[in-house]
Amino acid sequence: IGLPGEIIEYKDNQLYINNKLNNDIIDYPTDDFATTELTENGVIPNDRYFVLGDNRNNSADSRIIGLIDKNKIIGKTNLIIFPFKHFGVVK
């Protein structure tokens, strides 16, 4: 959910990207956290990403393992299912 150059914060079960509330993500209960805990200034560095699992309370994601290097990402998507307003084929 976090791209290079962004600041991510999850507070009171709400996702904030660059200090703006993001309503595209379903509210999943989770503890508060911020990328300021992972980086010196809170900004995700170039070629690194912040990932969260759907099962927030039991996921080993960036909150546990840290930011992910771009060269470690091997998946590809062809279809967006959610949020429904973005449903369709990825170009």
Side-chain angles (χ1 to χ4, degrees), residues 5 10 56:
Y10 214 100
R56 300 279 196 267

Side-chain angles (χ1 to χ4, degrees), residues 3 21 42 49 65 86 90:
L3 304 173
L21 181 62
Y49 295 82
I65 61 175
H86 295 296
V90 175

Side-chain angles (χ1 to χ4, degrees), residues 10 13-14 25-31 53-57 82:
Y10 214 100
N13 291 318
Q14 297 289 321
I25 305 293
I26 294 178
D27 294 331
Y28 290 102
T30 190
D31 294 333
D54 287 341
N55 186 359
R56 300 279 196 267
N57 291 329
F82 191 84

Side-chain angles (χ1 to χ4, degrees), residues 32-83:
D32 293 350
F33 66 86
T35 49
T36 53
E37 299 168 17
L38 300 172
T39 67
E40 186 174 315
N41 59 4
V43 177
I44 299 171
N46 288 338
D47 295 329
R48 309 232 27 224
Y49 295 82
F50 185 89
V51 298
L52 284 179
D54 287 341
N55 186 359
R56 300 279 196 267
N57 291 329
N58 295 307
S59 293
D61 49 34
S62 287
R63 296 171 294 169
I64 305 294
I65 61 175
L67 300 171
I68 305 299
D69 291 330
K70 181 179 180 178
N71 62 1
K72 301 286 183 190
I73 300 172
I74 57 173
K76 181 179 179 183
T77 186
N78 295 315
L79 182 66
I80 297 172
I81 297 173
F82 191 84

